[in-house]
Amino acid sequence: MRIATYNVNGVNGRLPVLLRWLEQTTPDIVCLQELKAPDARFPAAALQALGYDAIWHGQKSWNGVAILSRVGSIHETRRGLPGDPDPAQSRYIEAAVNGIIVAGLYLPNGNPRPGPKFDNKLAWFDRLIDHARTLLDTGAPVLLAGDFNVMPTARDVYKPERWLDDALFAPEVRDRYARLLDQGWTDALRHLHPDETIYTFWDYFRNAYTRDAGLRIDHLLLSPALAPRLADAGVDRAVRGWEKTSDHAPTWITLAD
């Protein structure tokens, strides 16, 4: 089973890219972020035509998350993070799909730092850590997938010295990511490719994609009950080079049956 996460940076504006990628790679389950569309404008019919059922938590102009499946019904278990410091923002959706609890998330960017946006990022991350613990305590196979807006280590960012003041590379944020992993979660990409330079995001500016000046901020974390099934993981980085594409590339894992 192939599961992917993809920050589409506008689900309707990037719909041709999303549909092309889905047709070419046929992932079984997909978590989407940054829909930038209210619920009524989510392109459910276009996705259904490709065989994907969907649930979504939209928001006009900003944020928004969704889960797609072509391998069975999506049984929504939660919409919104428990204790969310700003529940008006659509950043979390969770469902049982094909025997797995899939949590799709879009963690706040947090810039500028310091400031209220950074404080909100830390508070949201704290709530995620708390909820992740409750998911682990169920003993179920669980996947946390999405745009975490954090580069966990210097290996995950092009020229880390240039990002020392940025909220995505702040020590407090990286510490929270480490605390999350310490609960027992497996960072799929880094687990299978511990020494490789892997990016999932390239800015639109300064020719970043061509120069490979990227960041690894999209992650798939597996619970101890799910991690033994991890068979492969990667990034469909060529999608970032397509015309009118997102600044992120789809990131995926393959699970053994």
Side-chain angles (χ1 to χ4, degrees), residues 172-184:
E172 302 96 319
V173 176
R174 289 186 284 140
D175 175 70
R176 280 164 171 78
Y177 189 83
R179 284 167 49 197
L180 190 60
L181 294 188
D182 285 346
Q183 292 181 340

Side-chain angles (χ1 to χ4, degrees), residues 21-83:
W21 168 69
L22 290 173
E23 286 184 302
Q24 288 188 2
T25 62
T26 61
D28 298 298
I29 299 171
V30 182
C31 294
L32 300 178
Q33 304 87 45
E34 271 203 276
L35 304 179
K36 295 183 178 179
D39 284 341
R41 293 199 61 232
F42 184 80
L47 294 167
Q48 183 65 57
L50 289 182
Y52 286 94
D53 293 327
I55 60 170
W56 59 93
H57 184 23
Q59 183 178 342
K60 183 180 179 180
S61 302
W62 306 100
N63 307 318
V65 287
I67 299 174
L68 318 180
S69 169
R70 68 180 190 93
V71 288
S73 301
I74 306 172
H75 303 279
E76 184 175 321
T77 54
R78 178 169 293 279
R79 178 173 299 229
L81 188 66

Side-chain angles (χ1 to χ4, degrees), residues 25 48 112 114-116 138 140 168 217 250-251 255:
T25 62
Q48 183 65 57
T138 68
L168 279 67
I217 58 177
T251 306
L255 299 177

Side-chain angles (χ1 to χ4, degrees), residues 1-256:
M1 183 164 59
R2 185 181 177 98
I3 306 177
T5 181
Y6 188 18
N7 181 321
V8 291
N9 192 18
V11 69
N12 289 303
R14 316 288 181 194
L15 187 58
V17 171
L18 174 61
L19 297 178
R20 177 185 172 188
W21 168 69
L22 290 173
E23 286 184 302
Q24 288 188 2
T25 62
T26 61
D28 298 298
I29 299 171
V30 182
C31 294
L32 300 178
Q33 304 87 45
E34 271 203 276
L35 304 179
K36 295 183 178 179
D39 284 341
R41 293 199 61 232
F42 184 80
L47 294 167
Q48 183 65 57
L50 289 182
Y52 286 94
D53 293 327
I55 60 170
W56 59 93
H57 184 23
Q59 183 178 342
K60 183 180 179 180
S61 302
W62 306 100
N63 307 318
V65 287
I67 299 174
L68 318 180
S69 169
R70 68 180 190 93
V71 288
S73 301
I74 306 172
H75 303 279
E76 184 175 321
T77 54
R78 178 169 293 279
R79 178 173 299 229
L81 188 66
D84 192 328
D86 189 355
Q89 297 189 24
S90 301
R91 295 185 174 275
Y92 185 89
I93 195 164
E94 180 186 299
V97 189
N98 200 23
I100 299 173
I101 300 297
V102 179
L105 64 97
Y106 177 44
L107 206 139
N109 177 285
N111 282 302
R113 166 182 176 256
K117 290 186 177 181
F118 185 65
D119 294 340
N120 178 67
K121 179 183 185 120
L122 297 183
W124 204 96
F125 217 149
D126 286 338
R127 300 290 76 75
L128 176 64
I129 291 169
D130 290 344
H131 184 55
R133 169 52 65 188
T134 68
L135 292 174
L136 283 181
D137 287 346
T138 68
V142 183
L143 175 69
L144 304 181
D147 179 355
F148 283 69
N149 268 319
V150 54
M151 297 90 80
T153 71
R155 177 170 284 135
D156 301 307
V157 50
Y158 173 79
K159 292 193 175 180
E161 66 275 10
R162 296 185 179 180
W163 291 81
L164 297 178
D165 297 325
D166 195 278
L168 279 67
F169 199 51
E172 302 96 319
V173 176
R174 289 186 284 140
D175 175 70
R176 280 164 171 78
Y177 189 83
R179 284 167 49 197
L180 190 60
L181 294 188
D182 285 346
Q183 292 181 340
W185 300 93
T186 295
D187 181 332
L189 267 176
R190 192 50 74 202
H191 179 73
L192 292 182
H193 309 286
D195 301 317
E196 292 186 29
T197 298
I198 301 174
Y199 301 135
T200 66
F201 169 94
W202 297 261
D203 207 316
Y204 290 125
F205 304 107
R206 298 177 295 279
N207 207 26
Y209 179 67
T210 302
R211 295 188 298 114
D212 200 24
L215 314 172
R216 188 175 78 95
I217 58 177
D218 303 274
H219 308 301
L220 298 111
L221 307 186
L222 285 65
S223 72
L226 189 60
R229 292 177 56 188
L230 179 62
D232 199 3
V235 179
D236 290 337
R237 57 175 292 152
V239 178
R240 175 59 182 85
W242 292 356
E243 187 176 355
K244 297 181 180 179
T245 192
S246 171
D247 42 10
H248 295 249
T251 306
W252 54 267
I253 60 171
T254 300
L255 299 177

